[in-house]
Amino acid sequence: MNKEKILEVKNLKQHFQTGRKSVVKAVDGISFDIYRGETFGLVGESGCGKSTTGRTIIRLYDATSGEVTFNGIDVHGTKSKKDLKKFNRQMQMIFQDPYASLNPRMTVKEIILEGIQIHGLIKSETEKMERVEALLETVGLNKEHATRYPHEFSGGQRQRIGIARALAVDPEFIIADEPISALDVSIQAQVVNLMKELQEEHGLTYLFIAHDLSMVKYISDRIAVMYFGKIVELADSEELYKNPLHPYTNSLLSAIPLPDPDFERTRERTIYDPTQHDTEDAEFREVKPGHWVLCTEEEYKAYQDK
Amino acid sequence: MDDKNKQYDPEKFKQVHLKGDDSEKLSRPQLSYWKDAWLRLGKNKGAISGLVVLAFIILIAFLGPLLNDYTFDDADYDAAYLPPKVQGMEWLGLDGMQTYEVEGSSEQDAIDRGLEGYEIEEQYIQNTEVVLTPDESENGYYTVAMEVDVYAAKGYDNEHFWFGTDSMGRDLWTRIWKGTQISLYIGFLAAMIDMVIGVLYGGISGYYGGRTDNIMQRIIEVLSGIPNLVVVILMIMLLNPGIIAITIALTITGWIGMARIVRGQVLKLKNQEFILAARSLGSSDKRILMKHLIPNVTSVIIINTMFTIPSAIFFEAFLSFIGLGLQPPYASLGTLIDTAFDDYRVYPYMLLFPAVIISLLMIGFNILADGLRDALDPKMRK
Ligand SMILES: Nc1ncnc2c1ncn2[C@@H]1O[C@H](COP(=O)(O)OP(=O)(O)O)[C@@H](O)[C@H]1O
Ligand SMILES: [Mg+2]
């Protein structure tokens, strides 16, 4: 794999003012790079700031501080309309809730064409229809579905429509915010496989967000584990799975069910207790090449001996 | 693949689920949201009868005044207080006969007094009947019901006032339907103004949020804190009572309800993922408003407007009833009821017709609005 960075996130913070004095530090100083063509998994329990991270990267929220550089352009710094338009086409998002992510008053055709309309990519009506049909086929839907409304589709089908909408503007980078967690287990694999195929065909880069490790570890090249607004561990999937260092990662791994009754009978879930170690002085340190952990100086030494 | 998986005998298995695309086919006929809603409304008998009643009333309100030669403001004092008379519908009581109840020391005395009091000659009496004898009454007089052919008595044999006439001899049929027109006009106008102001205000407040929303909501709180009636009375005293003054008075606080509802909807919608998706595709604010927000609040706006119309009509009637309504010779259903109320014991027909019409309007609009709510927003159904 070539190691060209497509996205660089540096010390990104997103704090929400929720009252006169109260602030929610949804994302609190995270840094990572994503390389072109890879799938980067972002995992953490519900409410730890994963969606906020994704939405801040794609500029749905203005960052409190920190930098996001995409294809060499400072995303939050740029004011140029042209750059923003280009950015909107190059980076796209797939959403979590298939029932809330499609406008109930639009037909599938209108939904898929939205980006094409906004950017004026295709002018003629027949070409637009051809494009919609091609996209429907790409995501495994029937082209007769174009004139239907979202409420007529199942969750999995809706998610495919959402994918077609994102693909319509030919993006390079897609943020998938828990795209399968609202789906039936039987449908989850289908959608993941579709995303994998699309990645190969279109050379896509994914930021794949999930709340548990079970599916992510199969499709991600690298994984970052997030805990309360901070990334606590980042490594290649294989490495993270085999050699987890941070206690929170261990706890997440212990939660993955295996199709093995003997193992399941004896499986014990480890619960992460943040008071068990010092989190105040913790810094993000590279324990092994490419394996980063949020830890104190002492822990750092201990991890290196492992 | 695992070798173990291949140990089963395929002969023993039968496929029960269809493979691939077949299961993804949609069998339902395709319908747009509005067509679907229309079909659902059509199945609601209450809403359809409400619609029919309303259509009927609105139709006659406009055609009615053209059906006879009287005008709504031509006074003819000789023709005052003529009861309803319709050719061919005498059996329904619309025969132009007026029943007066008169009192006297004897039956004949009561009749004589009545004839003198109402300036009627004896020959026009059709029927008399003793209602109360001195033994039954508290004051020791006879009470006699005497039925008089007033049309003949006043020399209007050939006239037919379908709903009768009022104290100034004006044709009530024409006045009532003109009044219905004015009531409907006020109702629709007030509802439209409420809608425009409410949607804009609530939409802006909800969409921009933050400080804008905060300030706008405080203004609403202050406005809604002032008793409605005080504002209305001030407005009507400030402007000369007329259709416009009443409409403005109604809308000054009337839009608040709509603004609150629209704001709530927009607040709920603006963080929905489909709006975020549009934004991440680079949608402008205008496009999000026109393509995503408005189409999704339209049904709520329609439903709320349908409830506003009858309440505006009713509030106007109420204002008229407490003497703040339209000034003569103009009339609305409310002023007609107000004037009829003075004499309703002797001339019940003057109260009956406008009261029935306003009731039908209220019921019609409300059950139609209810049906629309069920049809447009099945989730809101109780
Ligand atoms: N717009 C917002 N305003 C205030 N707080 C928010 C907002 N969005 C998210 N949060 C808070 O930030 C935290 C992280 O949320 P989120 O990123 O949605 O978590 P996740 O996607 O990991 O479940 C939560 O505590 C949530 O309540
Ligand atoms: Mg989330």
Side-chain angles (χ1 to χ4, degrees):
Chain A
M1 185 189 294
N2 69 354
K3 285 254 164 180
E4 183 203 347
K5 284 177 190 169
I6 187 167
L7 183 84
E8 287 172 68
V9 177
K10 275 205 200 88
N11 206 18
L12 186 70
K13 288 187 184 169
Q14 181 66 61
H15 296 177
F16 293 112
Q17 193 87 34
T18 49
R20 221 169 255 281
K21 290 236 173 63
S22 61
V23 172
V24 175
K25 298 183 175 179
V27 175
D28 200 20
I30 59 171
S31 305
F32 56 86
D33 299 332
I34 296 180
Y35 300 106
R36 190 176 290 282
E38 77 169 338
T39 299
F40 186 89
L42 184 62
V43 181
E45 67 198 58
S46 181
C48 72
K50 307 177 300 289
S51 296
T52 307
T53 305
R55 290 174 185 186
T56 308
I57 290 174
I58 201 171
R59 266 185 63 104
L60 283 171
Y61 300 150
D62 287 321
T64 308
S65 70
E67 257 177 56
V68 177
T69 314
F70 178 70
N71 273 339
I73 294 172
D74 175 9
V75 172
H76 286 269
T78 182
K79 291 264 164 12
S80 130
K81 269 225 162 95
K82 199 170 133 258
D83 281 348
L84 286 182
K85 284 235 151 182
K86 201 167 116 196
F87 173 73
N88 285 329
R89 288 185 54 192
Q90 289 175 337
M91 190 187 289
Q92 270 305 303
M93 191 150 180
I94 300 170
F95 292 89
Q96 174 174 4
D97 182 354
Y99 290 86
S101 59
L102 307 178
N103 185 342
R105 299 282 182 275
M106 282 182 161
T107 59
V108 170
K109 181 184 169 197
E110 289 171 308
I111 290 170
I112 294 177
L113 279 178
E114 176 142 48
I116 289 172
Q117 301 276 55
I118 291 169
H119 296 279
L121 301 182
I122 303 177
K123 293 281 185 282
S124 97
E125 281 303 315
T126 43
E127 276 177 60
K128 278 182 190 166
M129 198 61 218
E130 279 166 23
R131 179 83 170 123
V132 169
E133 285 174 1
L135 280 164
L136 281 174
E137 202 170 314
T138 311
V139 298
L141 288 175
N142 212 311
K143 64 183 178 193
E144 274 101 61
H145 292 169
T147 52
R148 303 270 176 169
Y149 285 82
H151 70 263
E152 300 177 55
F153 295 89
S154 68
Q157 290 173 318
R158 282 162 185 246
Q159 211 54 306
R160 287 167 191 263
I161 298 169
I163 294 173
R165 167 177 61 194
L167 284 181
V169 290
D170 281 327
E172 298 171 9
F173 182 78
I174 291 182
I175 299 173
D177 186 1
E178 304 201 35
I180 53 170
S181 64
L183 304 180
D184 270 10
V185 179
S186 57
I187 313 284
Q188 286 186 350
Q190 292 178 13
V191 173
V192 165
N193 287 339
L194 171 67
M195 288 181 65
K196 272 181 155 174
E197 282 166 28
L198 292 173
Q199 181 167 39
E200 274 164 35
E201 277 169 40
H202 299 259
L204 296 170
T205 310
Y206 287 134
L207 169 58
F208 194 100
I209 298 175
H211 62 258
D212 63 48
L213 275 165
S214 53
M215 192 63 93
V216 194
K217 68 178 167 50
Y218 293 112
I219 55 166
S220 304
D221 298 299
R222 290 187 307 140
I223 294 175
V225 178
M226 199 166 171
Y227 183 75
F228 272 97
K230 293 201 159 67
I231 289 182
V232 295
E233 187 159 2
L234 193 167
D236 283 356
S237 320
E238 193 82 341
E239 164 76 8
L240 188 89
Y241 193 50
K242 282 200 189 124
N243 190 18
L245 293 177
H246 197 276
Y248 181 64
T249 313
N250 273 310
S251 131
L252 278 185
L253 282 169
S254 76
I256 303 176
L258 289 182
D260 175 357
D262 293 333
F263 172 80
E264 280 302 303
R265 216 166 285 137
T266 55
R267 177 162 71 98
E268 262 181 61
R269 231 208 115 157
T270 25
I271 311 285
Y272 173 55
D273 172 15
T275 57
Q276 78 197 48
H277 62 153
D278 184 7
T279 49
E280 282 294 305
D281 301 324
E283 269 177 48
F284 210 42
R285 297 168 212 262
E286 193 166 18
V287 177
K288 276 183 231 166
H291 192 155
W292 297 70
V293 185
L294 186 73
C295 57
T296 59
E297 190 70 44
E298 279 169 56
E299 285 170 328
Y300 176 65
K301 293 209 174 96
Y303 289 154
Q304 276 188 321
D305 296 339
K306 272 200 186 174
Chain B
M1 266 285 151
D2 229 348
D3 276 345
K4 271 187 262 173
N5 283 350
K6 289 186 181 151
Q7 287 172 359
Y8 72 90
D9 174 10
E11 295 297 306
K12 288 182 181 165
F13 287 82
K14 194 168 81 188
Q15 186 174 351
V16 285
H17 288 292
L18 292 174
K19 238 172 47 183
D21 259 0
D22 288 351
S23 59
E24 304 221 323
K25 282 229 176 82
L26 301 164
S27 52
R28 256 174 46 122
Q30 103 195 32
L31 287 175
S32 84
Y33 169 75
W34 295 106
K35 270 192 214 137
D36 206 29
W38 179 245
L39 282 184
R40 253 175 293 167
L41 187 69
K43 284 192 198 125
N44 184 335
K45 290 200 187 83
I48 290 302
S49 42
L51 191 65
V52 169
V53 168
L54 285 180
F56 187 65
I57 291 181
I58 292 172
L59 193 74
I60 325 183
F62 286 91
L63 290 181
L66 308 173
L67 293 181
N68 64 19
D69 295 330
Y70 309 111
T71 61
F72 76 99
D73 59 349
D74 265 352
D76 174 3
Y77 288 90
D78 294 336
Y81 296 124
L82 290 175
K85 185 177 176 186
V86 184
Q87 278 158 303
M89 289 176 79
E90 287 79 7
W91 53 274
L92 245 180
L94 304 173
D95 52 3
M97 297 299 151
Q98 171 75 48
T99 304
Y100 299 112
E101 289 201 345
V102 287
E103 288 184 341
S105 51
S106 68
E107 192 182 337
Q108 190 55 44
D109 179 46
I111 293 171
D112 288 342
R113 281 162 181 258
L115 291 177
E116 195 176 336
Y118 291 109
E119 294 175 18
I120 290 164
E121 287 168 42
E122 189 157 9
Q123 67 195 84
Y124 299 113
I125 296 180
Q126 303 287 310
N127 219 340
T128 59
E129 190 188 333
V130 179
V131 183
L132 286 176
T133 60
D135 307 333
E136 294 163 339
S137 74
E138 286 166 15
N139 53 18
Y141 285 119
Y142 278 92
T143 305
V144 180
M146 84 184 176
E147 201 184 58
V148 180
D149 183 352
V150 209
Y151 277 76
K154 295 192 174 179
Y156 283 87
D157 273 67
N158 295 323
E159 303 285 335
H160 291 91
F161 294 103
W162 296 330
F163 279 3
T165 60
D166 67 1
S167 60
M168 292 166 71
R170 294 176 292 201
D171 175 39
L172 275 176
W173 168 272
T174 314
R175 276 182 79 69
I176 284 172
W177 293 120
K178 280 271 175 191
T180 309
Q181 279 180 28
I182 290 178
S183 284
L184 284 169
Y185 179 75
I186 290 176
F188 275 100
L189 193 64
M192 289 307 125
I193 297 176
D194 278 2
M195 185 181 92
V196 172
I197 301 178
V199 169
L200 282 178
Y201 196 97
I204 292 171
S205 182
Y207 187 66
Y208 289 103
R211 266 175 72 92
T212 322
D213 184 42
N214 231 321
I215 295 168
M216 290 175 91
Q217 287 313 301
R218 294 299 86 73
I219 294 173
I220 280 195
E221 268 162 35
V222 171
L223 265 182
S224 59
I226 308 169
N228 205 0
L229 208 51
V230 174
V231 181
V232 172
I233 291 171
L234 278 178
M235 281 310 298
I236 289 178
M237 279 161 54
L238 215 68
L239 306 159
N240 292 326
I243 296 180
I244 298 301
I246 290 173
T247 313
I248 292 176
L250 285 177
T251 46
I252 263 192
T253 53
W255 58 270
I256 291 177
M258 178 67 92
R260 286 199 165 132
I261 288 174
V262 171
R263 171 179 174 268
Q265 288 287 314
V266 171
L267 276 182
K268 193 184 83 186
L269 283 171
K270 77 169 179 183
N271 286 322
Q272 296 259 314
E273 289 181 343
F274 69 84
I275 305 259
L276 296 179
R279 292 240 301 277
S280 70
L281 280 163
S283 264
S284 59
D285 278 0
K286 191 176 147 224
R287 189 186 159 88
I288 287 179
L289 201 70
M290 302 304 292
K291 294 267 171 179
H292 296 282
L293 286 175
I294 291 181
N296 278 287
V297 291
T298 319
S299 58
V300 181
I301 295 171
I302 293 176
I303 293 162
N304 197 46
T305 304
M306 285 305 285
F307 280 113
T308 315
I309 296 173
S311 65
I313 292 177
F314 190 76
F315 201 67
E316 183 279 328
F318 166 72
L319 286 180
S320 300
F321 201 72
I322 60 171
L324 290 169
L326 289 175
Q327 299 302 298
Y330 298 100
S332 67
L333 289 174
T335 56
L336 287 168
I337 290 172
D338 180 38
T339 38
F341 199 65
D342 301 337
D343 294 325
Y344 81 94
R345 281 162 187 271
V346 189
Y347 308 110
Y349 64 90
M350 283 171 63
L351 183 61
L352 180 71
F353 296 113
V356 166
I357 292 169
I358 201 168
S359 307
L360 287 177
L361 279 180
M362 303 299 295
I363 297 170
F365 273 113
N366 275 299
I367 58 177
L368 177 61
D370 231 49
L372 271 175
R373 180 171 56 195
D374 291 352
L376 292 176
D377 200 347
K379 270 173 275 160
M380 256 159 81
R381 196 177 311 177
K382 271 166 252 148

